[in-house]
Amino acid sequence: MELYIGGFAQGKLEYVTNKYNCAKVYDGKNYKNLIQNVENKMITEKIVILDHFNDIIRNLFESELENAVCIAERLTEWLICSEEKYKYKLVIISDEIGCGIVPMEKLERGYRECCGRMLIKLADRADIVERIICGLPQKIK
């Protein structure tokens, strides 16, 4: 697994797609398509890119506030385990969202905290972690 993080509009997807030009890209807004395709063995690509991981967490908090953290934890574990189980390389791209002012709204605080915690889990299991700034990679792991 590989994890790429960085600020909004810093060139993360372009950097990753230039690195893996034949990979299938799934958007975090439609992550259920990825889960369905993986579990139905419809993924034939050796490399799968999941863009906007942070949007998955945001959508969970907007639609499932009471269970959002539990669902996010299960989804993150599924992402980690599915790579080995289904024999593909997973590349996750996420915006960094926790480097600003702590928001006053409960939903925003919960979303940021949960996203940060899930990214910690992903980074711990990833073979490569890079931060992209102005389209340039900064190797973290």
Side-chain angles (χ1 to χ4, degrees):
M1 177 190 321
E2 296 181 12
L3 177 63
Y4 296 86
I5 58 170
F8 180 76
Q10 290 294 311
K12 297 178 295 295
L13 180 60
E14 184 177 354
Y15 174 79
V16 171
T17 54
N18 284 339
K19 187 174 179 180
Y20 299 113
N21 60 4
C22 61
K24 171 90 172 161
V25 178
Y26 287 87
D27 190 278
K29 292 177 180 81
N30 300 314
Y31 72 95
K32 291 179 182 177
N33 290 342
L34 170 63
I35 293 171
Q36 184 178 19
N37 287 350
V38 167
E39 290 188 345
N40 291 332
K41 298 185 173 131
M42 295 171 60
I43 298 241
T44 57
E45 297 84 12
K46 294 189 186 283
I47 300 169
V48 174
I49 299 169
L50 176 58
D51 193 18
H52 298 118
F53 176 79
N54 55 292
D55 284 345
I56 295 171
I57 306 300
R58 173 173 286 290
N59 290 340
L60 288 174
F61 270 80
E62 289 176 351
S63 63
E64 302 282 343
L65 182 58
E66 296 298 317
N67 301 316
V69 173
C70 184
I71 295 169
E73 287 175 347
R74 284 197 316 256
L75 174 64
T76 302
E77 281 303 314
W78 182 87
L79 288 169
I80 292 167
C81 295
S82 71
E83 184 181 45
E84 185 176 321
K85 182 177 179 182
Y86 296 105
K87 308 293 185 220
Y88 65 92
K89 175 183 241 171
L90 181 61
V91 178
I92 298 174
I93 303 170
S94 182
D95 286 352
E96 284 184 301
I97 56 166
C99 295
I101 297 170
V102 177
M104 293 183 68
E105 299 85 16
K106 182 179 180 179
L107 182 137
E108 284 295 317
R109 284 193 312 273
Y111 152 64
R112 286 179 181 219
E113 181 179 341
C114 182
C115 192
R117 291 184 189 282
M118 297 311 107
L119 288 172
I120 289 169
K121 287 182 181 195
L122 292 170
D124 183 52
R125 300 290 287 277
D127 299 316
I128 294 173
V129 179
E130 290 184 6
R131 170 190 257 168
I132 309 300
I133 303 169
C134 300
L136 301 172
Q138 180 183 36
K139 186 173 180 165
I140 297 172
K141 179 180 180 185

